[in-house]
Amino acid sequence: MDFKNKTVVITGGAQGIGRCIAEEFQKAGAHVCVIDKQQGDHFVGDISDKGTLERFATEVIGQYGHVDFLINNALPLMKGIYECTYEEFQYALSVGVTAAFYLSKLFLPHFAEGAAIVNISSSRDRMSQPQTESYTAAKGGIAALTHALAVSLAGKVRVNSISPGWIDTAYTVYDGPDAVQQPAGRVGNPMDIANMVLYLCSDKATFITGENICIDGGMTRQMIYHGDHGWKLEP
């Protein structure tokens, strides 16, 4: 897919899935603007802060004049109800939901024709492990924000989300139970997500909006009962 001279904004794009997305867009010829709190050759800042988002948006528009694709990828804090404070929960929602909303609003007058937003949610938007409330709430929030934005921005910007399952950002190849438990037979890696992001931003996906695509190797479709097909619960 050719994204020559397209302007792409990626939050949390300095590492993991976000970095992979940034690299794939760069290979396809795009101008990539990353914001991340990790130090590096990008805009460094905490996206939970309103002023930081405004400064970042001003810099992007000042340099490129428009935005073609916004990828809201930044990772929220994960803490459970036993340990998560009020402030930490608010921070997780600010990073995971509010920043995505506000960047969409800031760039709204500057989205180019054919623009797209892709929000990175999680399969945790529909299932949970114990003590993950801050992260799960943020991911559920951005999944819901996706279809709301898709309706509000109809005819101007397509908006979709992706819900990754187990993605190993070190590209570790697993065998044994870690792989076999997944219907796809393996653990995912960042390219599984990046490929879908680029597809959703491409001309091949112009009839897709308001959708959430779960990329989890089939794990959320697999019914598990104690004693069934070798599954065993050991509390």
Side-chain angles (χ1 to χ4, degrees), residues 9 11 33-37 42-64 67 99 102-103 105-107 110:
V9 173
T11 66
C33 307
V34 166
I35 182 170
D36 199 295
K37 64 181 181 180
H42 52 262
F43 190 102
V44 177
D46 185 343
I47 67 169
S48 70
D49 178 67
K50 179 175 179 281
T52 297
L53 295 175
E54 291 170 345
R55 289 190 296 274
F56 174 60
T58 298
E59 180 174 301
V60 170
I61 298 306
Q63 185 168 2
Y64 296 107
V67 171
Y102 197 46
L103 283 177
K105 185 176 180 69
L106 289 171
F107 289 130
H110 308 287

Side-chain angles (χ1 to χ4, degrees), residues 190-231:
M191 280 301 300
D192 294 313
I193 309 306
N195 285 334
M196 181 55 71
V197 171
L198 267 68
Y199 173 75
L200 289 173
C201 291
S202 76
D203 291 341
K204 296 179 180 181
T206 56
F207 199 54
I208 304 175
T209 192
E211 188 58 73
N212 178 284
I213 299 171
C214 188
I215 303 178
D216 70 342
M219 284 293 287
T220 55
R221 297 302 189 189
Q222 182 165 240
M223 296 181 72
I224 298 175
Y225 294 95
H226 172 69
D228 188 28
H229 297 289
W231 293 102

Side-chain angles (χ1 to χ4, degrees), residues 3 13 17 40 79 95 121 131 134 142 161 171 190 211 228:
F3 293 103
I17 292 172
K79 277 196 171 184
V95 170
S121 182
Q131 300 307 309
S134 65
I142 200 169
S161 61
Y171 294 86
E211 188 58 73
D228 188 28

Side-chain angles (χ1 to χ4, degrees), residues 79-137:
K79 277 196 171 184
I81 194 167
Y82 293 162
E83 295 182 356
C84 188
T85 66
Y86 179 90
E87 290 76 16
E88 288 172 329
F89 192 84
Q90 290 282 21
Y91 179 77
L93 294 182
S94 293
V95 170
V97 184
T98 308
F101 166 79
Y102 197 46
L103 283 177
S104 300
K105 185 176 180 69
L106 289 171
F107 289 130
L108 190 54
H110 308 287
F111 279 118
E113 184 177 355
I117 297 170
V118 180
N119 297 321
I120 305 301
S121 182
S122 168
S123 59
R124 294 173 188 269
D125 64 4
R126 67 204 67 188
M127 59 193 298
S128 293
Q129 290 175 301
Q131 300 307 309
T132 61
E133 280 76 11
S134 65
Y135 185 92
T136 298

